Amino acid sequence: MLTAKRILLGVTGSIACYKAADLASKLRQAGADVDVILTRAALQFITPLTFQSVTGRRAYTDDDLWGQAGHVLHVGLAEAADVLIIAPATANTLAKLAHGVADNLLTVAALAAGGRQPPCPVLVAPALDGGMWANPATQANVETLRGRGITLIGPAEGHLASGLRGLGRMVEPAQLLGHVRLALSRTGPLAGKRVVVTAGGTQEPLDPVRVLTNRSSGRQGYALAQAALDRGAQVTLISAAAALAPPVGARLVQVGTAQEMREAVMAALPEADVLIMAAAVADFRPARTQEHKIKKTGSLPVIELARNPDILAQVAQRKTRGQWKGITVGFAAESQNLLDNAQAKLNAKKLDMIVANDISAPDAGFAVDTNRVTLLFADGRREQLPLMSKAEVAERVMEEVVDWLNTGSTGSTGSTDH
Ligand code: C5P
């Protein structure tokens, strides 16, 4: 996503500077070329060498503005940038940006970037202490910036350097990275398309303490949501997984049980162009949920089960009746007869594609970062993919979805083995 993208990172004087180094590193690891500009106040907290070490590129200061060719440096940096992100941004820099003050290399570059045609996306992550965020002057500046299309991210609430608690913390680097991805993706091939992704294992309550669930971590579904966002889609992530941070930009619908997931899918379906059911939906639930915790004394409980709704089967019905015309992608996790089972599900649930997942391999399936999958298509094509990360599997699936939406059929270039 960030390969060969130029990110201009502005760093201003706040204790959150140390997190800006982490952000620069994360951007670099994601493939971006990161140019950093530090203000004089930032130099009190952190050195250019820190940024040069993590970005592998020169980091700039006001000395460069007043040095040789400094008068065009700011224009060059602003012209080259795919995104300008200022993190941390002090109240002072927010005020300068709002009023077009250009008295250091960063604010000069920001002025040039904001005036570009088309304008460079500008993201600002404030970091302030005490009442500085709440101050009407800051709030008025922030409104001005928003009105100009600048994206304000945070500040977050919590512990502040002064020992106070409140709104003022810079948003964490991982989240900021998500915002940069989002800013870069908006004109992608899925712009204007709505993608619904389900993820995680549903939890079926037995009593107030215990649930029936499965080993799904939600990682594959979350990676699919991110891959759809990276292509510009509007993404609804219907999640039964609790332990993952949702990708920035996704509309998160948190659910517990299969029935709740069914409700959420059916509510989102009419608007959706694509439904990707990566969730491990429990096939059975306890027939009754006990109001109070079942005690271990007394006779052993016998748990009667009831069948859960098959969400994809219900979606297939809507397709058959012509009530919904989108693309459906299913997943099949099997420990035996993988491809036969997957093919049967593809047919029964009228899917356009199914991702068959061999959970018997130690490096694939639940709760690991890699997957070994075969894609099966409604037209009979099959494509066996090598061991890859769940993010890479998500990329491949989304490539097929994009082909589909563009041409009406999948345009896979992989080998067919049917
Ligand atoms: O559980 P099963 O192997 O049949 O799952 C195959 C596909 O059907 C998956 O995409 C899963 O998300 C979906 N499914 C569903 N409703 C269920 C069970 C599974 O939509 N009750």
Side-chain angles (χ1 to χ4, degrees), residues 198 258 261 276-283 308-313 329-334 345 349 351 354:
T198 66
M261 183 168 278
I276 303 180
M277 283 289 301
V281 184
D283 293 320
N308 266 335
D310 189 317
I311 303 169
L312 270 180
V329 178
F331 274 70
E334 296 287 349
K345 284 176 197 171
K349 303 191 187 199
L351 303 176
I354 193 158

Side-chain angles (χ1 to χ4, degrees), residues 226-410:
Q226 181 68 69
L229 284 163
D230 284 348
R231 286 164 177 75
Q234 290 180 49
V235 175
T236 300
L237 175 58
I238 300 173
S239 175
L244 299 173
V248 170
R251 187 173 76 91
L252 181 70
V253 182
Q254 200 88 50
V255 296
T257 65
Q259 281 167 309
E260 285 168 19
M261 183 168 278
R262 192 202 80 88
E263 301 300 320
V265 169
M266 291 307 168
L269 196 66
E271 303 284 310
D273 298 291
V274 182
L275 169 67
I276 303 180
M277 283 289 301
V281 184
D283 293 320
F284 314 107
R285 65 176 183 275
R288 277 167 299 281
T289 303
Q290 304 298 324
E291 191 186 341
H292 297 291
K293 183 181 170 190
I294 302 167
K295 304 302 289 177
K296 72 175 168 189
T297 47
S299 57
L300 263 185
V302 175
I303 302 165
E304 191 191 337
L305 297 177
R307 209 172 285 284
N308 266 335
D310 189 317
I311 303 169
L312 270 180
Q314 295 187 6
V315 171
Q317 267 182 9
R318 293 206 176 180
K319 268 189 141 175
T320 309
R321 295 190 201 126
Q323 292 165 332
W324 186 66
K325 296 188 167 55
I327 294 170
T328 36
V329 178
F331 274 70
E334 296 287 349
S335 53
Q336 51 188 353
N337 299 331
L338 174 65
L339 295 183
D340 289 347
N341 277 315
Q343 185 68 49
K345 284 176 197 171
L346 179 88
N347 300 345
K349 303 191 187 199
K350 295 197 166 46
L351 303 176
D352 298 286
M353 185 203 311
I354 193 158
V355 183
N357 204 333
D358 183 359
I359 54 166
S360 62
D363 50 8
F366 297 124
V368 291
D369 277 325
T370 48
N371 242 353
R372 200 184 284 280
V373 304
T374 303
L375 307 181
L376 290 81
F377 298 90
D379 64 7
R381 225 158 27 84
R382 287 183 183 183
E383 186 180 347
Q384 192 181 353
L385 302 181
L387 182 72
M388 41 173 76
S389 71
K390 288 181 176 173
E392 287 168 325
V393 170
E395 290 292 307
R396 283 293 296 111
V397 170
M398 290 318 298
E399 280 168 18
E400 295 292 342
V401 168
V402 168
D403 280 343
W404 221 308
L405 288 170
N406 286 342
T407 64
S409 67
T410 52

Side-chain angles (χ1 to χ4, degrees), residues 17-27 29 51 54 172-174:
C17 279
Y18 77 93
K19 292 190 193 171
D22 184 25
L23 173 61
S25 174
K26 283 189 160 63
L27 287 165
Q29 288 174 49
F51 289 98
V54 293
E172 294 302 318

